[in-house]
Amino acid sequence: MISALDVPLDLSQPPTITQQSPKDYIVDPRENIVIQCEAKGKPPPSFSWTRNGTHFDIDKDAQVTMKPNSGTLVINIMNGGKAEAYEGVYQCTARNERGAAISNNIVIRPSRSPLWTKEKLEPHQVREGDSLVLHCRPPVGLPPPIIFWMDNAFQRLHQSERVSQGLNGDLYFSNVQPEDTREDYICYARFNHTQTIQQKQPISVKVFSMDSLNDTIAANLSDTDIYGAKPVTEKQPTLLTPTGSTSTKVELRGNVLLLECIAAGLPTPGIHWIKEGGELPANRTFFENFKKTLKIIDVSEADSGNYKCIARNILGSVHHVISVTVKAAPYWITAPRNLVLSPGEDGTLICRANGNPKPNISWLANGVPIAIAPEDPSRKVDGDTIIFSHVQERSSAVYQCNASNEYGYLLANAFVNVLAEPPRILTPANKLYQVIADSPALLDCAYFGSPKPEIEWFKGVKGSILRGNEYVFHDNGTLEIPVAQKDSTGTYTCVARNELGKIQNEVQLEVKDPTMIIKQPEYKVIQRYGQVSFECIIKHDSTLLPTVIWLKDNDELPDDERFLVGKDNLTIMNVTDKDDGTYTCIVNTTLDSVSASAVLTVVARPNPPFDLELTGQLERSVELSWIPGDENNSPITNFVIEYEDGLHEPGVWHYQTEVPGTQTTVQLKLSPYVNYSFRVIAVNEIGRSQPSEPSEQYLTKSANPDENPSNVQGIGSEPDNLVITWEPLKGFQSNGPGLQYKVSWRQKDVDDEWTSVIVANVSKYIVSGTPTFVPYEIKVQALNDLGYAPEPSEVIGHSGEDLPMVAPGNVQVHVINSTLAKVHWDPVPLKTVRGHLQGYKVYYWKVQSLSRRSRRHVEKKILTFRGNKTFGMLPGLEPYSSYKLNVRVVNGKGEGPASPDKVFKTPEGVPSSPSFLKITNPTLDSLTLEWGSPTHPNGVLTSYVLKFQPINNTHELGPLVEIRIPANESSLILKNLNYSTRYKFYFNAQTSVGSGSQITEEAVTIMDEVQPLYPRIRNVTTAAAETYANISWEYEGPDHANFYVEYGVAGTMASRQVDIATQGWFIGLMCAVALLILILLIVCFIRRNKGGKYPVKEKEDAHADPEIQPMKEDDGTFGEYSDAEDHKPLKKGSRTPSDRTVKKEDSDDSLVDYGEGVNGQFNEDGSFIGQYSGKKEKEPAEGNESSEAPSPVNAMNSFV
């Protein structure tokens, strides 16, 4: 048995209705009537119609035709037919040799849009505050029209809680107001089927206000009128619709329930809805027409009950209960489905429906009630079920189930088709299915066969049958893989078999990687006119082609060139307020879609506040209020209040105060005699708004000044005057017109009266003829036309200063050491200072150096000691020098006379290092040292001290030798030295105080006494033959020289060189030189006296001067001078000429300075130049520069 499967159309089957017109079919009477009826079957069915229960012979009506191969009727109205003539109930029958299917009963009714009946409408005259109902009463149309109210200008009338349209189309006024007076209240009815609008006659409404009513009541109203000349009174709510306290409502299941309550009253009542004994259904309840209409969609029997509407205003309330009953037209529980049976099989047709009241179930066979249909022994009817047993091919038929009650009916066709068919698979072979990983995969295997085939699924060519919880097998043959993975990719085989045969089909499954947004757009806050970008970087399966779409607020992006869509981003240029919103990146492929959203908030400075208002004006205060402008998505943090004084400083705005952003009023303190205007500035995180428009002006009354000038001072500019100055009051501080100042003064500590003058609005007054530098009491008081300010406070000033009269006495100097002295003096009497004592100045200068006895330009130095000090320190003196000094007292006017010059001398100090140390004339066993005297001897030199020690090739220092040299010497020849040995020298000068800082140098004795030979060519002669030329010369110089001959042909640029090194005699000479070099190399390796690189830090103690090192341990101090380059290693391969002078100011020299090259490797006497460069050092222990000893290769190269 096969149920609910489509039978392939190439197999015999009863008819099936595939398309039909609706049961209630309202047609446009101006157009042709088309009644649809389509069906399929094998053989193709034929069609017939009934009209109002009897056969409709379409051949006898020229206006009616049936479409070819179809049952659809076309009734020609356009050519003179009338739609009303074809009203009725139509039913279609589709029939073939296997049965007959029937359509629903189709009720045909033409649409109607009748005109309004003529009526005379009386004007409505209503008292203000009364209720009013304007009736529409549209003509009855089919379908019912849509009602709306408009005026003569075709503008919809404004509706509100007070004025609204009811469900019946009437216009309800809960209470009328004078503005409701008009003559064009027009009700319109729109008939959608005929696309026509009908208009009612305009209705006139005149509302009488109580004032006008009192004037006209006698003339227009009789004693029996209901209107009286009473004032407008408030009214309790009453219901305009529905009337009474209760009503009933029946609605059908699945429809929309609409309940309405409109109330009268003054003030306008509000409406509230409840359901007695329950809650209003969530998600299906809506309120319309200002809560006057309760709307519940898709109602069910559970929505039956009592619904109460409550109308309430301040005077009371009224309610109405609507009892709702939900009925139900029949609806399916189980509709009958087609059966395909093989001969001898059993089956059932089930028809179950429900409704309120419960529907009646009846069966038909091929459109005939089953009770009078031909008998079938295989068929048995059991209420809503037909049971089939051992069917045969003649049992094929179409059965109809009809379920009906008073609210409607249901009709369903279901055929029984008896067939014997082997399996067939309807899904195309090798169909490709593509899904995204981790999503379901549905592989179809649509099949047919009778008896019903069994379906099995296999994976792969020789795979086993699929079973287990990871698969779902559907009745229609579909295989579901609930969570497809990458390894689910492959070939799947569907096998269908029944007793008549077997068939299989293969389908392909590809599982793709999901599309992901790996970089989602992020929330952005941007200032107006800025630029913002949203990223949307995606990852997708390489075989899928994604498309990226950007949306703004779920709609397309604005058509604006400011929006730039890139490969993986969206950029918005010159952002404006309208760009604020949610931006969504949607990525689509043929298989999946992902999206991500981000919000853009456009912020800006707030808009300026507006509507500034001044209230509560008092003499010294006023209240300012304002309305904030738009904060532009950035909360206002505070408001700044500024004021303008239009009387004293028009156009100039001053800061008044500020308040938090939540405050919109402020109490401002005011000053008298100011014409105030205020403005407000809003501030948020982005910045300050533009100022608001100024408030109205407010002129405060005049008053005495509240304060006096500030910063009062009295300072004389001349010895005989007193200058009194002050900071004037600002304009708004004057408190009134005629601002002046009363200046008063008197000499302090003298029983004098105050002297006063009144001056204009200035800031200075000069008192002349005063004694020199005496104290005065001073005060300045403000006054205006209304009076004086409070009594001012007094300040102390002084008349003008004069130069001090006397010099400090008893000047004494105490020399502390060779660079520091202390000077003492006696203070001068304060009376002689004649001004404010500022301090003392010490002038001192060097007369001469005691060691050189040579005078030089005198440069005076000045030290100032503030206050009443009587001593001071003189630092930075030069040792062993003669100085002079004097002392002077200083006041505000200047310096007094100098004290007599005082002479003092500084003692000796240690000398500076020798100005240079030069090592020349290296021989096998001697070196010549030359030096310069210290730049600053700082005393009488007593001697020089020379220390030196050898350095071997293991980077270790040998025994230290010390030599003392008389101070008048400037050179020394050291003899009895080891040949080809490096020595390090430490050299310093001494005075009677001690040793000065030292200078260091290194040098090497040579290996052999070789006189330098400098190459020289002379007496060049030539003898030319036909094919050659003989060139000869005389040569003086080393034997290892190479010779090059250059020649040319007259008039050409060609040249050639003849390499003398290829000559036999020269090769022999070079062999002799190489042998000599080899012997020298062997000697070098045996002696191993050539030093290489040695580390400074690791050998510091070994290289230290044994005599100087203990000194550092004893006193823990360093020398007076230091050179940071003492710790730097020498450059690799550097050479130092033996006559080089090393000065203490030198740093690492370049190779060029040392004459690197062939011509720079020999001194005048031909001695070999050592490869160490001397460096200055603080101590012998710090002279361990890293340098490179001459290697055998270097030695050989030096002789080439």
Side-chain angles (χ1 to χ4, degrees):
M1 178 183 70
I2 299 178
S3 176
L5 287 184
D6 286 340
V7 179
L9 284 177
D10 62 338
L11 298 178
S12 296
Q13 55 185 294
T16 301
I17 301 291
T18 59
Q19 189 174 3
Q20 57 183 315
S21 294
K23 292 179 182 179
D24 192 6
Y25 187 17
I26 299 175
V27 298
D28 189 337
R30 300 167 300 178
E31 297 179 354
N32 292 339
I33 301 173
V34 179
I35 309 174
Q36 291 182 331
C37 181
E38 304 289 342
K40 66 177 182 177
K42 185 67 182 290
S46 61
F47 296 92
S48 63
W49 284 87
T50 63
R51 177 183 175 190
N52 296 327
T54 60
H55 177 68
F56 182 36
D57 191 351
I58 62 175
D59 295 333
K60 294 183 178 180
D61 192 333
Q63 304 295 331
V64 181
T65 58
M66 184 183 294
K67 290 184 178 181
N69 301 318
S70 167
T72 298
L73 294 181
V74 178
I75 303 174
N76 195 336
I77 302 299
M78 307 292 289
N79 292 331
K82 291 186 177 181
E84 292 80 1
Y86 292 94
E87 284 191 68
V89 179
Y90 293 79
Q91 189 173 44
C92 171
T93 300
R95 187 186 309 275
N96 68 9
E97 61 188 30
R98 288 202 166 233
I102 61 176
S103 70
N104 291 321
N105 287 330
I106 303 171
V107 180
I108 301 297
R109 293 186 296 171
S111 173
R112 296 181 179 87
S113 54
L115 297 176
W116 246 292
T117 58
K118 294 286 185 179
E119 58 180 329
K120 184 178 181 181
L121 300 177
E122 296 292 336
H124 292 265
Q125 297 184 358
V126 194
R127 186 174 61 179
E128 180 182 357
D130 287 352
S131 62
L132 175 65
V133 179
L134 300 182
H135 298 288
C136 180
R137 298 191 184 100
V140 178
L142 185 69
I146 298 173
I147 306 301
F148 53 94
W149 289 80
M150 301 178 73
D151 59 16
N152 276 332
F154 297 101
Q155 298 297 316
R156 285 185 179 268
L157 297 177
H158 175 71
Q159 299 190 24
S160 63
E161 287 186 348
R162 187 178 64 85
V163 182
S164 62
Q165 177 182 315
L167 294 175
N168 62 358
D170 293 346
L171 190 63
Y172 292 86
F173 294 78
S174 295
N175 53 80
V176 294
Q177 302 296 325
E179 60 265 25
D180 296 328
T181 297
R182 62 189 307 157
E183 296 181 351
D184 57 349
Y185 287 95
I186 305 174
C187 180
Y188 289 85
R190 184 175 66 225
F191 298 90
N192 285 343
H193 262 69
T194 58
Q195 299 180 353
T196 58
I197 296 177
Q198 302 292 350
Q199 172 184 333
K200 188 180 177 73
Q201 291 293 323
I203 301 173
S204 174
V205 174
K206 182 174 180 61
V207 179
F208 288 96
S209 65
M210 297 316 301
D211 292 339
S212 62
L213 189 60
N214 288 331
D215 295 336
T216 60
I217 189 171
N220 297 291
L221 299 176
S222 65
D223 295 337
T224 60
D225 281 321
I226 61 170
Y227 300 108
K230 299 178 181 178
V232 176
T233 58
E234 296 179 336
K235 298 179 176 63
Q236 289 186 354
T238 58
L239 286 176
L240 298 175
T241 183
T243 59
S245 61
T246 61
S247 60
T248 61
K249 172 82 172 179
V250 176
E251 191 58 78
L252 292 182
R253 180 180 182 271
N255 287 354
V256 176
L257 174 64
L258 294 174
L259 304 178
E260 181 180 56
C261 273
I262 301 177
L266 184 66
T268 303
I271 305 296
H272 177 65
W273 291 90
I274 61 172
K275 182 181 182 182
E276 293 182 345
E279 298 290 335
L280 295 174
N283 303 323
R284 294 189 295 117
T285 301
F286 303 91
F287 297 100
E288 297 179 347
N289 198 21
F290 309 100
K291 291 191 175 182
K292 299 175 186 179
T293 302
L294 172 65
K295 177 180 178 180
I296 302 177
I297 63 174
D298 192 22
V299 294
S300 65
E301 289 86 342
D303 294 322
S304 297
N306 293 330
Y307 292 81
K308 180 187 286 187
C309 70
I310 304 170
R312 178 181 286 111
N313 67 9
I314 59 175
L315 299 181
S317 65
V318 65
H319 69 269
H320 183 91
V321 176
I322 305 173
S323 180
V324 174
T325 301
V326 178
K327 298 291 185 177
Y331 56 91
W332 290 118
I333 296 176
T334 303
R337 296 188 295 177
N338 294 337
L339 281 180
V340 178
L341 302 175
S342 64
E345 274 194 313
D346 302 335
T348 58
L349 285 178
I350 300 174
C351 177
R352 290 178 184 162
N354 201 0
N356 185 11
K358 188 173 180 62
N360 179 52
I361 303 295
S362 62
W363 287 96
L364 296 87
N366 296 325
V368 178
I370 201 166
I372 61 175
E375 291 187 3
D376 184 351
S378 65
R379 178 183 69 208
K380 178 183 178 182
V381 178
D382 184 9
D384 59 7
T385 304
I386 300 179
I387 303 172
F388 297 93
S389 303
H390 303 288
V391 297
Q392 299 301 320
E393 185 174 354
R394 64 178 181 275
S395 301
S396 296
V398 181
Y399 292 87
Q400 290 82 33
C401 174
N402 184 296
S404 61
N405 66 11
E406 61 186 282
Y407 297 108
Y409 74 94
L410 293 173
L411 178 68
N413 291 278
F415 65 67
V416 175
N417 197 15
V418 181
L419 293 172
E421 286 291 327
R424 62 172 67 182
I425 293 178
L426 308 178
T427 300
N430 292 314
K431 184 176 181 179
L432 176 62
Y433 294 88
Q434 294 179 326
V435 298
I436 295 297
D438 297 324
S439 62
L442 296 173
L443 310 182
D444 292 332
C445 183
Y447 65 90
F448 185 80
S450 183
K452 181 180 178 181
E454 294 181 357
I455 302 298
E456 293 178 331
W457 281 93
F458 300 84
K459 183 179 181 184
V461 179
K462 298 182 179 180
S464 58
I465 188 170
L466 298 181
R467 293 187 177 88
N469 296 329
E470 63 267 31
Y471 302 102
V472 177
F473 303 95
H474 293 271
D475 290 340
N476 63 356
T478 297
L479 169 66
E480 179 180 353
I481 306 174
V483 183
Q485 302 295 332
K486 293 288 285 185
D487 58 5
S488 301
T489 298
T491 302
Y492 290 80
T493 303
C494 165
V495 177
R497 60 165 59 89
N498 67 9
E499 60 189 34
L500 300 179
K502 169 187 173 183
I503 192 172
Q504 70 179 37
N505 186 37
E506 292 182 353
V507 295
Q508 308 295 325
L509 175 63
E510 292 181 357
V511 181
K512 307 290 186 178
D513 290 326
T515 304
M516 296 184 294
I517 300 178
I518 58 177
K519 178 67 174 177
Q520 298 187 356
E522 298 177 348
Y523 172 74
K524 295 290 180 68
V525 176
I526 190 68
Q527 292 190 33
R528 187 187 295 163
Y529 310 124
Q531 175 179 323
V532 66
S533 290
F534 291 106
E535 286 187 296
C536 185
I537 301 176
I538 64 174
K539 179 182 179 183
H540 61 91
D541 192 283
S542 59
T543 62
L544 299 178
L545 182 62
T547 58
V548 179
I549 302 172
W550 285 91
L551 302 179
K552 178 182 183 294
D553 296 329
N554 294 324
D555 204 350
E556 293 183 359
L557 290 178
D559 185 13
D560 192 327
E561 62 183 8
R562 297 181 301 107
F563 289 77
L564 306 177
V565 178
K567 177 183 177 183
D568 51 16
N569 61 61
L570 167 66
T571 301
I572 308 174
M573 313 287 290
N574 196 22
V575 172
T576 64
D577 292 338
K578 66 181 181 180
D579 299 330
D580 203 272
T582 300
Y583 290 83
T584 303
C585 166
I586 301 177
V587 184
N588 294 316
T589 68
T590 55
L591 298 181
D592 63 348
S593 177
V594 292
S595 64
S597 299
V599 175
L600 173 63
T601 300
V602 180
V603 297
R605 297 183 300 172
N607 292 349
F610 57 94
D611 281 357
L612 273 65
E613 183 179 5
L614 297 178
T615 57
Q617 290 91 338
L618 300 175
E619 291 186 2
R620 294 297 184 98
S621 69
V622 70
E623 184 174 88
L624 172 67
S625 61
W626 61 90
I627 298 176
D630 193 337
E631 63 184 18
N632 293 324
N633 292 325
S634 181
I636 295 175
T637 57
N638 57 292
F639 293 99
V640 177
I641 293 90
E642 296 180 340
Y643 73 91
E644 175 196 31
D645 182 359
L647 193 61
H648 302 97
E649 295 179 292
V652 179
W653 290 90
H654 301 276
Y655 172 86
Q656 172 87 10
T657 186
E658 61 184 86
V659 296
T662 57
Q663 188 172 329
T664 57
T665 60
V666 63
Q667 194 76 20
L668 300 175
K669 294 182 178 180
L670 306 179
S671 296
Y673 195 55
V674 176
N675 193 14
Y676 282 101
S677 290
F678 299 97
R679 69 183 187 185
V680 182
I681 300 171
V683 182
N684 63 10
E685 288 187 357
I686 310 305
R688 296 163 62 101
S689 73
Q690 292 294 320
S692 68
E693 291 296 322
S695 70
E696 60 182 303
Q697 290 186 333
Y698 177 47
L699 177 62
T700 55
K701 295 181 179 180
S702 302
N704 294 7
D706 292 325
E707 51 190 312
N708 287 301
S710 59
N711 197 24
V712 178
Q713 294 181 341
I715 302 173
S717 60
E718 298 294 337
D720 60 350
N721 74 6
L722 171 66
V723 180
I724 302 174
T725 60
W726 60 90
E727 186 174 329
L729 298 181
K730 296 181 179 179
F732 73 91
Q733 294 174 312
S734 66
N735 286 5
L739 177 63
Q740 294 178 302
Y741 300 100
K742 179 181 179 182
V743 183
S744 304
W745 68 93
R746 69 179 178 185
Q747 190 172 339
K748 191 175 182 299
D749 300 328
V750 177
D751 192 14
D752 281 350
E753 294 295 329
W754 288 93
T755 302
S756 300
V757 296
I758 293 179
V759 298
N761 187 12
V762 295
S763 60
K764 181 172 69 174
Y765 182 76
I766 300 176
V767 180
S768 302
T770 62
T772 300
F773 196 68
V774 295
Y776 278 87
E777 294 176 322
I778 304 168
K779 57 185 180 181
V780 180
Q781 186 177 22
L783 69 152
N784 62 16
D785 291 349
L786 278 76
Y788 285 88
E791 185 67 22
S793 58
E794 301 171 5
V795 298
I796 303 299
H798 287 81
S799 56
E801 300 180 68
D802 205 347
L803 294 177
M805 299 173 60
V806 299
N810 194 24
V811 177
Q812 301 293 328
V813 178
H814 172 60
V815 178
I816 298 175
N817 57 37
S818 59
T819 61
L820 180 65
K822 183 176 183 181
V823 58
H824 292 263
W825 62 86
D826 290 340
V828 299
L830 290 178
K831 290 184 179 181
T832 65
V833 175
R834 296 200 295 180
H836 294 287
L837 175 63
Q838 294 186 354
Y840 293 86
K841 286 187 178 181
V842 177
Y843 287 73
Y844 65 102
W845 61 96
K846 180 180 175 181
V847 179
Q848 66 177 15
S849 173
L850 299 179
S851 58
R852 297 183 179 177
R853 302 296 181 185
S854 60
R855 294 184 178 273
R856 62 178 182 177
H857 173 70
V858 175
E859 179 183 353
K860 290 188 177 182
K861 297 181 180 180
I862 305 172
L863 286 177
T864 301
F865 300 95
R866 299 290 179 184
N868 195 21
K869 293 190 68 174
T870 59
F871 68 92
M873 307 298 288
L874 305 181
L877 304 177
E878 294 186 15
Y880 206 52
S881 300
S882 176
Y883 281 87
K884 287 185 179 180
L885 66 79
N886 59 52
V887 184
R888 310 178 190 193
V889 67
V890 182
N891 66 10
K893 191 72 173 177
E895 300 176 3
S899 66
D901 291 346
K902 188 73 175 180
V903 179
F904 67 96
K905 298 178 180 178
T906 55
E908 289 187 79
V910 296
S912 63
S913 62
S915 57
F916 68 89
L917 174 62
K918 181 167 62 175
I919 304 174
T920 60
N921 301 326
T923 65
L924 287 174
D925 61 352
S926 68
L927 293 168
T928 299
L929 279 70
E930 298 177 358
W931 60 87
S933 60
T935 305
H936 301 284
N938 295 337
V940 178
L941 295 181
T942 58
S943 63
Y944 292 99
V945 177
L946 173 66
K947 301 175 185 178
F948 63 94
Q949 56 191 151
I951 306 173
N952 62 21
N953 59 352
T954 61
H955 320 305
E956 296 179 351
L957 298 172
L960 188 70
V961 179
E962 179 178 328
I963 301 175
R964 290 192 175 272
I965 305 168
N968 57 352
E969 297 290 340
S970 61
S971 64
L972 174 67
I973 299 176
L974 284 178
K975 299 182 178 180
N976 299 323
L977 302 176
N978 297 328
Y979 73 93
S980 189
T981 300
R982 176 170 293 279
Y983 287 91
K984 186 162 188 175
F985 299 91
Y986 314 93
F987 192 68
N988 64 282
Q990 287 186 334
T991 64
S992 60
V993 177
S995 299
S997 56
Q998 64 185 11
I999 188 171
T1000 64
E1001 184 56 271
E1002 292 184 9
V1004 181
T1005 55
I1006 64 174
M1007 296 175 60
D1008 194 8
E1009 297 268 1
V1010 179
Q1011 293 297 326
L1013 293 176
Y1014 296 100
R1016 185 173 63 172
I1017 296 175
R1018 61 181 182 176
N1019 298 333
V1020 179
T1021 59
T1022 61
E1026 183 177 334
T1027 58
Y1028 66 93
N1030 187 16
I1031 304 170
S1032 60
W1033 60 86
E1034 293 179 4
Y1035 168 74
E1036 295 179 359
D1039 292 339
H1040 61 274
N1042 292 334
F1043 296 90
Y1044 297 90
V1045 177
E1046 293 185 3
Y1047 67 94
V1049 179
T1052 69
M1053 299 299 294
S1055 65
R1056 294 176 58 191
Q1057 291 184 341
V1058 178
D1059 191 356
I1060 304 301
T1062 60
Q1063 305 300 314
W1065 64 270
F1066 187 79
I1067 294 174
L1069 178 62
M1070 289 299 99
C1071 290
V1073 173
L1075 180 61
L1076 177 61
I1077 293 173
L1078 180 60
I1079 295 173
L1080 292 175
L1081 289 175
I1082 294 172
V1083 174
C1084 291
F1085 280 109
I1086 293 175
R1087 293 183 61 86
R1088 298 177 61 86
N1089 286 329
K1090 295 302 178 182
K1093 293 182 179 181
Y1094 57 93
V1096 174
K1097 296 300 181 181
E1098 293 179 0
K1099 302 298 181 179
E1100 188 170 287
D1101 295 337
H1103 290 251
D1105 189 329
E1107 295 187 7
I1108 297 178
Q1109 191 170 4
M1111 293 174 60
K1112 297 177 72 174
E1113 293 174 354
D1114 292 342
D1115 57 13
T1117 61
F1118 294 92
E1120 186 175 349
Y1121 294 91
S1122 64
D1123 191 336
E1125 297 184 3
D1126 291 343
H1127 304 284
K1128 295 181 180 178
L1130 294 176
K1131 295 180 180 178
K1132 182 176 180 180
S1134 63
R1135 275 100 168 143
T1136 304
S1138 60
D1139 61 348
R1140 174 173 174 255
T1141 300
V1142 180
K1143 298 183 180 181
K1144 67 184 182 71
E1145 296 86 356
D1146 288 344
S1147 60
D1148 289 343
D1149 291 358
S1150 68
L1151 298 176
V1152 176
D1153 295 335
Y1154 298 157
E1156 178 98 356
V1158 174
N1159 294 330
Q1161 294 182 356
F1162 293 90
N1163 291 325
E1164 293 180 357
D1165 60 356
S1167 60
F1168 175 68
I1169 299 174
Q1171 295 195 4
Y1172 286 83
S1173 174
K1175 298 293 178 181
K1176 297 181 301 155
E1177 300 186 4
K1178 295 188 294 183
E1179 301 288 350
E1182 298 175 346
N1184 304 330
E1185 297 91 338
S1186 175
S1187 61
E1188 182 179 334
S1191 66
V1193 177
N1194 291 336
M1196 181 169 63
N1197 289 338
S1198 65
F1199 282 98
V1200 175

